[in-house]
Amino acid sequence: MENLKINMTFECLTWRQPIISRVITKCIETTLAAEHITVPCEINVMVTDDKGIHAVNLASRQIDAPTDVLSFPMFELEPGNAPEEWDEYLDPATDMCPLGDMCISLERAIAQAKEYGHSVKREVGYLTIHSMLHLLGYDHLDEGPMKRQMRAREEAIAGMIPGMERK
């Protein structure tokens, strides 16, 4: 996708890094396309382990535990309803929209892939799509309509990427 800048850092060494990078990039591109986001975007992605995400979770949310993915949206957007005019969201220095940051625990993704019986690529992809939707305004604070809306979008977007669909 043109006009997309992904700043990806790996805090954990892994032979999977090139594969994980491609999966994350593909899932970000597909989510932006599915949500009709055409403005140039910048996204920061940190891939870490449970210890790293635990530290981020504690510092940012005061939750003293690891998790699978954390999302830090830059803006409060309306889910499924991208702004018609993006000018107020653009960074004047880059002319890009800084959507926000995501932090993924590769260690947790590997464990969950095994638990759910699918590939690590699928789990990392799903976590990326989940985080991207948070950056675009989706949330799941309740167990009702908001969660159902977000889960439906996650599955629809995952289904657009070969190997990401639920089996």
Side-chain angles (χ1 to χ4, degrees):
M1 172 181 243
E2 279 187 48
N3 297 319
L4 173 62
K5 182 177 182 186
I6 302 171
N7 303 307
M8 197 173 319
T9 57
F10 281 78
E11 282 196 338
C12 53
L13 297 177
T14 175
W15 60 269
R16 294 180 169 109
Q17 185 170 332
I19 297 164
I20 298 300
S21 294
R22 285 192 300 274
V23 168
I24 290 171
T25 299
K26 180 66 174 172
C27 289
I28 289 172
E29 291 172 345
T30 303
T31 303
L32 291 172
E35 291 294 304
H36 311 290
I37 307 298
T38 57
V39 66
C41 294
E42 183 173 6
I43 298 148
N44 298 311
V45 180
M46 181 173 71
V47 180
T48 189
D49 55 16
D50 280 357
K51 183 178 176 184
I53 206 164
H54 184 161
V56 174
N57 208 13
L58 184 58
S60 62
R61 301 172 61 220
Q62 292 71 53
I63 296 177
D64 191 10
T67 189
D68 51 6
V69 65
L70 292 169
S71 310
F72 302 97
M74 185 65 79
F75 307 106
E76 288 187 29
L77 301 175
E78 187 179 328
N81 191 18
E84 289 183 27
E85 188 56 54
W86 285 91
D87 288 347
E88 67 183 87
Y89 299 97
L90 298 181
D91 179 342
T94 63
D95 258 358
M96 299 185 96
C97 177
L99 283 180
D101 307 331
M102 71 174 72
C103 182
I104 298 171
S105 169
L106 184 56
E107 183 178 350
R108 184 59 50 109
I110 291 167
Q112 288 178 178
K114 185 176 182 180
E115 177 184 341
Y116 300 139
H118 54 244
S119 71
V120 173
K121 285 171 46 176
R122 199 272 186 208
E123 187 64 19
V124 169
Y126 182 83
L127 294 175
T128 302
I129 294 165
H130 178 88
S131 186
M132 281 300 299
L133 289 174
H134 276 306
L135 299 185
L136 296 172
Y138 288 82
D139 213 337
H140 52 84
L141 295 175
D142 65 8
E143 290 297 320
M146 290 172 69
K147 187 170 186 172
R148 283 192 298 276
Q149 177 191 30
M150 188 165 179
R151 294 294 179 252
R153 287 307 294 148
E154 290 167 351
E155 292 302 331
I157 294 166
M160 297 174 184
I161 305 168
M164 290 293 143
E165 61 278 342
R166 186 183 294 269
K167 295 183 180 187

